[in-house]
Amino acid sequence: MTATQFSLGGLLRRAGLSTEPEGPRHGPCDARIAKALAELRNHGHRSVRILDLDCADGGRLLRTTAKARELGFVAIEGRGVSLWTAGIRHARWQAERDAHPSTSLTFDIAEPIAALAAEHDGAADLILLSEPMPYPASPLAAALTRLGGKVLAEG
């Protein structure tokens, strides 16, 4: 059985009990992502692996990989997951249109927790969340801890 909740906020939104406005969640801003990439590059990393959980239409992951190329990464691997079928279809189209030899991107229709479960090697350097950090005892938090990459969450 797979747990699908991210956080208490996510549960409240699904139950209709949240006071937050409806609409898309955005996750970490581009400036925070650029800073995290620059830190990796400054520590000598020449390759980077990025996992975007709930990537929507792939825009954030595509911008992140473009920034990684700009910073001098020579091998960039990215994986985006979302349950939004049309968004994943658009992300795949955009990735194919903007293909670059140094970049390998995949976009999958999947639950974020299931995507984390499939990450057996723990090789993600950067994990992007569209929600605030989950409660430490949640299945998502445990999976993120197991992977060990730098997690950037909304906020």
Side-chain angles (χ1 to χ4, degrees), residues 25-37 60 63-64 67 126 128-130 152-155:
R25 306 208 40 107
H26 298 288
C29 69
D30 289 348
R32 286 182 56 214
I33 294 170
K35 181 180 177 188
L37 286 169
R60 178 178 52 219
R63 288 189 308 276
T64 301
K67 184 63 177 178
L126 193 57
L128 309 176
L129 295 178
S130 293
L152 294 180
E154 181 180 79

Side-chain angles (χ1 to χ4, degrees), residues 3-84:
T4 59
Q5 75 273 5
F6 272 158
S7 63
L8 179 59
L11 288 173
L12 292 174
R13 276 191 303 283
R14 285 187 185 97
L17 301 174
S18 175
T19 58
E20 294 179 4
E22 292 295 307
R25 306 208 40 107
H26 298 288
C29 69
D30 289 348
R32 286 182 56 214
I33 294 170
K35 181 180 177 188
L37 286 169
E39 288 172 3
L40 287 169
R41 189 68 184 100
N42 290 338
H43 284 93
H45 290 253
R46 295 178 46 84
S47 64
V48 65
R49 184 157 187 258
I50 305 156
L51 179 60
D52 189 348
L53 303 177
D54 197 14
C55 69
D57 67 357
R60 178 178 52 219
L61 183 55
L62 291 163
R63 288 189 308 276
T64 301
T65 58
K67 184 63 177 178
R69 282 193 303 273
E70 180 184 313
L71 290 171
F73 287 94
V74 296
I76 304 159
E77 183 181 344
R79 180 176 182 217
V81 298
S82 176
L83 291 174
W84 184 30

